[in-house]
Amino acid sequence: SRFQNVIVKAPARSYVDGLTTSDLGKPDYEKVVEQHKAYVEALKSCGVEATELQADEQYPDSVFVEDPAVLTPEFAVIANPGAESRNGEKDAIEEALKNFYDKFYHIEAPGYLDGGDVLQADDHFYIGLSERTNEEGARQLKEIVEKEGYKADILPLKEFFHLKTGIAYLGNNNMVVAGEFIDHPAFADYNRIVISKEDEYSANCIKVNDTVIIPSGYPETKRKIEEAGYRTLELDMSEVQKQDGGLSCLSLRF
Ligand code: CIR
């Protein structure tokens, strides 16, 4: 499937004080601005139109637009982000999505869900249970997508922060897997591209039309994805990684 549009949001100055579990140090604001610009340019080079939302100082993590929504070609689901400091991010995202969608669903409390815990592979959704996504949130999303004709599985996470921290779908049955997903029965029928422990960060990559965008500094991952038949494009993600973010987190693609 091809994407025509992406939504991105510029990093706020408050980004450097956002949530993180990593011990990689404080991000450099000027540098994350540069990295984000390069990211938006890379997406555009893959043939999508970018809707670029203004930075919002009130929400340090709002650059991670993937978490407040889950999109399909037919409908939008406004999520209910599980971190309190991030929950209000969903309003600006819903507003932006009104320019593209007529059909909306909402995940409602006591259900919580982050888009980072949701992976779509063709007509199948995988929904991770994490610190951010609870059983009720996952159940609501499963019910929505099943009603719309998709399949859905709910998977409790053991180690990863978000489901998509350790997995990416490239199409053609090709699944990039790391850590707890390498031998996970839910993914046994895919052609698995296995990412080693030391390269785990690069499992969060994104296929945008004819290109797979990967973080720079992972030659083994680049080789494996190219061997699977894809063109790759590398981006420096250092300041994003410091705040537990990856390539998928920075955009909504539809
Ligand atoms: C957070 O803790 O929510 C952000 N610092 C990182 C969110 C990353 N998003 C994602 O994996 N989808």
Side-chain angles (χ1 to χ4, degrees):
S1 69
R2 295 189 70 83
F3 296 122
Q4 287 180 335
N5 293 287
V6 296
I7 291 176
V8 293
K9 187 162 181 151
R13 284 192 177 275
S14 59
Y15 174 77
V16 302
D17 299 316
L19 301 174
T20 191
T21 60
S22 91
D23 54 4
L24 300 170
K26 235 193 200 324
D28 178 305
Y29 171 70
E30 309 294 336
K31 207 166 159 190
V32 77
V33 167
E34 283 311 305
Q35 290 178 353
H36 191 263
K37 279 188 185 147
Y39 177 80
V40 177
E41 287 313 308
L43 289 174
K44 288 181 183 167
S45 79
C46 297
V48 296
E49 291 246 356
T51 298
E52 305 183 44
L53 306 179
Q54 279 185 358
D56 186 346
E57 292 300 335
Q58 194 190 342
Y59 294 108
D61 288 295
S62 57
V63 69
F64 299 116
V65 291
E66 171 177 78
D67 293 315
V70 176
L71 305 178
T72 72
E74 304 86 26
F75 58 92
V77 182
I78 303 304
N80 197 21
E84 209 180 335
S85 68
R86 299 199 57 191
N87 191 263
E89 292 175 22
K90 62 187 184 223
D91 298 335
I93 295 298
E94 179 162 11
E95 214 37 54
L97 287 170
K98 282 183 184 158
N99 295 317
F100 299 96
Y101 284 93
D102 294 324
K103 193 171 194 179
F104 284 87
Y105 293 94
H106 296 82
I107 304 298
E108 314 269 9
Y112 289 92
L113 180 124
D114 274 12
D117 282 318
V118 181
L119 173 72
Q120 187 185 350
D122 303 323
D123 65 349
H124 206 123
F125 281 86
Y126 298 93
I127 310 168
L129 297 178
S130 69
E131 296 276 304
R132 303 292 178 81
T133 298
N134 64 9
E135 286 189 41
E136 174 58 15
R139 191 199 61 74
Q140 288 179 25
L141 182 64
K142 181 170 155 76
E143 187 173 287
I144 292 164
V145 300
E146 284 178 346
K147 177 179 163 222
E148 291 281 350
Y150 291 89
K151 298 187 188 82
D153 279 333
I154 296 174
L155 323 175
L157 303 188
K158 296 192 183 87
E159 283 168 24
F160 284 123
F161 173 60
H162 275 133
L163 181 85
K164 273 184 286 190
T165 309
I167 194 162
Y169 184 60
L170 305 183
N172 287 323
N173 212 43
N174 293 321
M175 193 70 89
V176 177
V177 286
E180 65 195 79
F181 301 131
I182 295 172
D183 294 317
H184 198 295
F187 306 113
D189 291 337
Y190 290 95
N191 307 320
R192 278 160 293 171
I193 298 173
V194 175
I195 304 300
S196 64
K197 181 79 190 159
E198 59 270 29
D199 290 345
E200 209 159 86
Y201 181 68
S202 63
N204 183 279
C205 55
I206 49 174
K207 177 161 183 286
V208 186
N209 300 335
D210 303 318
T211 305
V212 180
I213 307 180
I214 60 174
S216 58
Y218 299 93
E220 274 301 293
T221 299
K222 180 174 153 70
R223 187 183 59 73
K224 286 172 188 165
I225 291 175
E226 288 178 354
E227 263 175 24
Y230 300 96
R231 187 177 98 95
T232 62
L233 196 159
E234 293 176 89
L235 290 175
D236 184 358
M237 296 292 288
S238 65
E239 307 313 292
V240 176
Q241 186 176 13
K242 286 175 181 173
Q243 301 302 69
D244 288 340
L247 286 159
S248 77
C249 321
L250 292 177
S251 59
L252 285 163
R253 304 163 295 281
F254 55 106

